Amino acid sequence: MNRPTEYRPNAIALTIAGSDPSGGAGLQADLKTFQQFGVYGASVVTMITAQNSLGVRRVENLSTELVLDQLDAVLDDIQPIVAKTGALGTAETIDAVHQRAQQFNFPLVVDPVMVSKHGDSLLTEDAVTDDAVAAYRRLLPKAFLVTPNRFELERLTGIALNTNQDVAKAIHDLHQMGARFVLAKMGEVNGQSEHILGSGKENIAIQSKRFETQNTHGAGCILSAAITALIALGETDLKRIVQRAIRQVSIGIHNTQPIGKGRSPVETRVLADEPTELTELTS
Ligand code: PXL
C-alpha cells in the first residue's frame, strides 16, 4: 500500500471540534489532515453544524456532559501524543475542557475558534459572547500553542490591531495569560500571507504566497491540524513545524478542487516538505 508518510502506529492525535458535514472544515478537515500525515486521529464532537460550501445553515452544540463523556471514553482507553481544540461552542464546554486539561499528560493546541450562538454564521463578530472569550482566556495556561486569527487576537486581548506594535503587544499579552507559544494568523500583509510565531522571547514573521481566491474553506483547521500531526510524529522544532504546516495549507489552496457550488475546501490530499521562507519581524 502506498502511504503518504512513514506509518507510526503510536502517532495518535485527538481533536475536540465541531462537525462540518460538507467535509471541508472542522473535525473532518482535522481527521483528513492527520491521516495525510500518517497520524491516527481520534475525535470528540462538540457541535453539529448544518453547512455546505455556500454557508452555515444551523449550529447546534452538544451538551457539555456529552462532550466530556466522549473525551473521558477516549482518554480512558487511548493515549494521544497531542490534542487540538477547534470550535468548542460554549463557554461551559471551554471551561469543562479546561478542567479536564489539568490532567492531560500531552500538549494541547488551541485554535480559539469563536463561534456564533446563532445558526447563520459561525464567526460573525457580534455573536462572539464575552463569556466564551473569558473562558478561552482561562484555557490559555493549558495551551502549548494558541493559533488566533486577527479577529480572535483582538477579542482575546481587547487590543485593536492597527500597528506592528499593537500585534507585538497582543502576542505578549497572550503569553502573559499563560499560552506557551502563539501563532498569530494575520492574513494579508503587503500582498503576502503573514503568520507571526511568538515564543515569549522573540516574534518571527513567516511570509507565504497569498492566493487571490475565496476557496480557503477549512484553512485554519488544516493549519492547526497539520501542526498537531507533526507534533504527534515526534517533531520538536516548532518553527520548522509551523513552516511545514503553513506550506501544507499553501499547497492545499493551490491544489483546491472545485467541490461544491460555493467556496471550495482547501485540498488536504497534498503533502508539503520544503520549508516556507522565514523572515525576522521588523519593528
Ligand atoms: O475554521 C473554523 C471552523 C471550525 N469548526 C467548524 C467550522 C469552521 C468553519 O467553517 O465549520 C465546524
Side-chain angles (χ1 to χ4, degrees):
M1 186 167 69
N2 241 345
R3 293 204 164 101
T5 187
E6 199 188 328
Y7 180 73
R8 312 252 176 97
N10 67 343
I12 298 174
L14 166 66
T15 178
I16 307 171
S19 166
D20 169 4
S22 69
L27 71 90
Q28 287 83 0
D30 291 344
L31 290 177
K32 290 175 191 181
T33 303
F34 293 166
Q35 181 83 2
Q36 184 63 16
F37 280 87
V39 168
Y40 179 92
S43 56
V44 166
V45 189
T46 56
M47 166 203 301
I48 308 288
T49 72
Q51 67 173 300
N52 57 27
S53 65
L54 296 164
V56 178
R57 298 181 180 186
R58 184 172 166 190
V59 176
E60 198 163 312
N61 294 308
L62 302 192
S63 71
T64 298
E65 190 202 8
L66 183 52
V67 173
L68 288 183
D69 280 355
Q70 295 175 73
L71 183 57
D72 292 344
V74 173
L75 295 183
D76 284 348
D77 192 35
I78 294 169
Q79 173 64 60
I81 305 286
V82 54
K84 68 157 276 191
T85 61
L88 292 173
T90 65
E92 190 189 352
T93 295
I94 298 168
D95 278 333
V97 168
H98 174 227
Q99 193 259 325
R100 284 297 192 281
Q102 309 296 336
Q103 256 67 56
F104 287 178
N105 58 358
F106 46 82
L108 183 65
V109 175
V110 174
D111 189 0
V113 178
M114 295 197 175
V115 177
S116 166
K117 278 199 301 180
H118 313 291
D120 53 355
S121 169
L122 269 175
L123 300 167
T124 52
E125 294 187 28
D126 56 331
V128 177
T129 67
D130 289 343
D131 283 357
V133 174
Y136 265 123
R137 290 196 189 119
R138 288 191 286 273
L139 180 59
L140 287 181
K142 291 285 133 200
F144 169 71
L145 173 69
V146 61
T147 63
N149 60 27
R150 179 182 278 274
F151 166 67
E152 291 155 357
L153 186 58
E154 287 191 338
R155 287 292 275 137
L156 286 169
T157 60
I159 296 173
L161 303 176
N162 297 313
T163 66
N164 285 349
Q165 283 86 343
D166 296 335
V167 174
K169 170 85 170 72
I171 291 172
H172 174 81
D173 284 4
L174 292 189
H175 289 300
Q176 290 296 110
M177 290 181 211
R180 176 74 190 82
F181 293 97
V182 176
L183 181 64
K185 303 177 282 192
M186 302 311 298
E188 195 266 335
V189 178
N190 299 329
Q192 293 206 294
S193 166
E194 184 164 288
H195 293 75
I196 300 174
L197 177 62
S199 68
K201 289 199 212 91
E202 57 172 0
N203 287 341
I204 296 166
I206 303 170
Q207 267 108 22
S208 52
K209 182 169 156 52
R210 182 174 163 78
F211 297 93
E212 279 310 320
T213 175
Q214 293 286 308
N215 299 326
T216 56
H217 185 58
C221 304
I222 294 170
L223 180 72
S224 54
I227 292 168
T228 304
L230 288 163
I231 295 171
L233 288 170
E235 301 281 339
T236 53
D237 183 338
L238 189 61
K239 194 158 86 176
R240 282 184 46 130
I241 288 172
V242 166
Q243 285 177 290
R244 244 187 98 178
I246 290 171
R247 194 165 162 82
Q248 176 76 14
V249 175
S250 292
I251 293 176
I253 292 172
H254 190 63
N255 287 282
T256 292
Q257 305 296 314
I259 291 171
K261 302 187 182 80
R263 294 170 54 205
S264 298
V266 176
E267 181 58 62
T268 52
R269 295 165 291 179
V270 295
L271 205 60
D273 282 316
E274 291 162 44
T276 307
E277 196 182 319
L278 267 184
T279 49
E280 293 292 321
L281 183 71
T282 50
S283 89

